[in-house]
Amino acid sequence: MTDAAPQPVFLKDYTPFGFLVDQVELNVHLHPTATRVRAKIAFRPNPAARDRRFFLHGEDLTLISAAIDGTPVTPEITPEGLSCPVPEAPFTWEAEVEIAPAENTALEGLYMSNGMYCTQCEAEGFRKITFYPDRPDVMAPFRVRIDGDLPVLLSNGNPVAQGAGWAEWNDPWPKPSYLFALVAGELVATSDRFTTSEGREVALNVWVRPADQGKADYALDSLIRSMKWDEEVYGRAYDLDVFNIVAVDDFNMGAMENKGLNVFNSRYVLASPETATDRDYENIERIIAHEYFHNWTGDRITCRDWFQLSLKEGLTVFRDSQFSADMRSAAVKRIEDVMTLRARQFREDNGPLAHPVRPESYAEINNFYTATVYEKGAEVIGMLRRLVGPEGYARALDLYFARHDGQACTIEDWLQVFEEATGRDLTRFKRWYSQAGTPRVKVTEDFKDGTYTLHLEQKTPPTPGQDEKLPQVIPLALGLLSPNGDEVLPTTVIELTEARQEAVFEGLAAKPVPSLLRGFSAPVILERDSTPEERAFLLAHDTDPFNKWEAGRSLAREVLIAMVTEDAAPAPAWLDALAAVVRDEALDPAFRALALRLPGEDELAEALADRGAVPDPLAIHAARERVKTAVARHLDPLWAGLYAQMACPGPYSPGAADAGRRALRLAALGYMARLDGGARAQAHFSAADNMTDEIGALSVLLETGGADEALDRFARRWGHDRLVMDKWFGLQATLAAPERAVAVTRALTEHADFTWKNPNRFRAVIGGFSANAAGFHDASGAGYDLVADWLIRLDAVNPQTAARMSTAFETWARYDEGRREKAQAALERIAAREGLSRDMGEMVGRLLAAGRIAA
Ligand code: B3K
Ligand code: ZN
């Protein structure tokens, strides 16, 4: 913690560390309040570096002793680390420190969760374990001995030897310290074996607490499928004799890719049909894959510095999306990814926290594990693949792995392999890494004598610190349909590279209907005046599943906006088009369920602000409610049939087919509840034999009223299960009616089981409430105050999670003056706190600065 204004670090200031590390030996003697860590590190001067000052990061460490080549030394120690004179030749550094894992509430470094020890080192947590050059470009093999009276003692790499109360591990692959991990506890494994394409026999274990035994099968199965997929699709085989995964209840994020020892938030490991939803299963599959894929894109090839974070994260998200698309429905996966991108990344790119995929400065790197670095970073790779084609992409990746294995790399290294493998000049493409903001592509058209011309203009609005934007390289996938619905031009990619461009199509019999940005081929906002009739036509006829969905989505958005601004009734043409999609049995039920989901309140607020209006959160909420009721009535003849038809016979299976049927059935249930007062939802809740149905019905009851009894029953049934109770807490905060939301959330925070130091529980309640747009933006400012109070409280114990949750305030500057004043006051109250963390200091500073400009 620090009171001073956070000092930024700049990309341009990068210099290599003065020393290389040949070997690290750690000896960790576990104790809740007095763990001893002995480190023996072989350093030698780095010929590539000029600066030979010996500085080791270290925070919250008590130094017991230090020696160089066996001679005791007395280093100079600051809150950030130590420095010491060292020989000009190779030398051995030895140090012993003491730390207190049980007192570590920040969940960074070595800490305790339910009696078990675990670590989280990315980005800069290793410095809370021992003194070390804690930066990703210093890579070394680690050998670790753990002493502790717990039955399971794990670290990275392969097991060397073990006995009662100790274990030794050796990781032969050089790695940066952020990939170090240690776990110790009373754990049980669900195990299997995997033989790699290179003939290596790998022992696979998913470790959980004994009470959770039996809930790790799906995670293990997902791991095996990920290992196989990475061999088949990327030619990447696993490289150790064991792969361990551990589920931890108290965890700041989703999971962590430590070499050979992935540590997971238990919500992304534990699953049984009774306790996990279809969405949970899907997330487990995706995140297990993501962390496993990091073994090559992250661990074997890592980042030179944290500015390059998207090098591993964007690429690994792209890879896990490909995997999910292969395991499930590619079309549905793409639609869901774009919904998330728009809800999180576009919102970020359009607000005070906008930053490039490769930021150029930061005060606290943990604040930059963002949707822009991850999801926009993945989109950039998707565009690259589209531009060079699948073969070019495969060649570039092969070269990347061959050339950079064992190295800490940059975005330049990454683009260079594409240039060499494909002969393309990527100078302009690189702007995707340096320019923040979502580009707008404006499209107009004309048709004359069989020639159809598209006039394309691109523009990126200013973002904080970046007023001027240059044109980007935008792959625009498009197709053309004839007026009778035939495809006259199959998907073609046009490359936009200039501020203005034209695309000409000749020899057409009639003016076509364009299907633009197919598959959402670039993370841009398309601006084109198109009529509701044309959108309905695309919804009915487009061959591109993404654009078919998009047509319906944009119709729904327009309907909702018209209802907010003009109090219009929902257009019957839209309702008919929606009915046709829902009725179409040739379409995947999951797709039909997605078509029935309306744009969210925040998306609508954003769209209104974009048109220069000041969004009224209550009016948006009310319009959405009215549209839902209108849909319920208009499609009334369909619901009962759909509900009966979509029942899944046989035992629960989390696969995409059954999950899609359940999603469509629950969507029908939700609309039906608006007509039958929730009677069927009550019955559905009582009869549910899996969590998807149980929580699905409960959500319907919460939305339409009459959930009290079901909530009580749910709590009695699941009170013992933390993960299930997170859902109970979260749903109530998210779905509370606007006028009750603050009171409901406050009551939840007073509940005996609101264990707020647990990040999952905090996110469920405070994050859930922040996602309740009309509730959070209550005109009284009570929502802002409630969140600010909790952020202040959490910041004192866990700055990382607190800072992350402060993004609730990301959109404050778009609202009316009354709300703005109150939000600003809440943010200023946080900013004024003494002892505010660097994490939170940076976040509120950015939130306030840009907001004030806009105000
Ligand atoms: N690399 C980790 C995230 C670490 C976050 C540190 N604040 C998980 C992942 O992206 O796979
Ligand atoms: Zn990752």
Side-chain angles (χ1 to χ4, degrees), residues 413-432:
D413 295 325
W414 164 253
L415 292 176
Q416 177 75 25
V417 297
F418 276 82
E419 293 198 326
E420 286 181 33
T422 67
R424 265 190 88 107
D425 177 358
L426 294 171
T427 315
R428 185 166 286 200
F429 184 82
K430 196 178 168 193
R431 287 178 190 161
W432 280 109

Side-chain angles (χ1 to χ4, degrees), residues 601-612:
E601 293 177 22
D602 193 61
E603 180 177 337
L604 295 168
E606 179 73 44
L608 282 158
D610 205 44
R611 292 164 199 213

Side-chain angles (χ1 to χ4, degrees), residues 257 290-291 294 313 374:
E257 70 264 25
H290 179 97
E291 305 311 332
H294 266 314
E313 295 304 347
Y374 277 64

Side-chain angles (χ1 to χ4, degrees), residues 747-766:
L748 290 171
T749 62
E750 285 157 7
H751 192 287
D753 290 333
F754 181 57
T755 46
W756 60 274
K757 290 181 187 166
N758 172 259
N760 287 356
R761 190 57 52 89
F762 190 92
R763 276 189 287 260
V765 176
I766 303 303

Side-chain angles (χ1 to χ4, degrees), residues 120 122-123 178 253 255-257 290-291 294 312-313 366 369 374 800:
Q120 172 54 39
E122 187 176 3
Y178 82 85
M253 58 244 165
M256 179 62 212
E257 70 264 25
H290 179 97
E291 305 311 332
H294 266 314
K312 73 177 177 81
E313 295 304 347
N366 283 325
Y369 286 73
Y374 277 64
Q800 207 179 122

Side-chain angles (χ1 to χ4, degrees), residues 218-234:
Y218 193 73
L220 185 61
D221 178 61
S222 303
L223 173 63
I224 293 171
R225 284 183 285 126
S226 308
M227 295 176 86
K228 214 162 150 324
W229 187 91
D230 213 18
E231 289 183 350
E232 287 169 4
V233 180
Y234 279 83

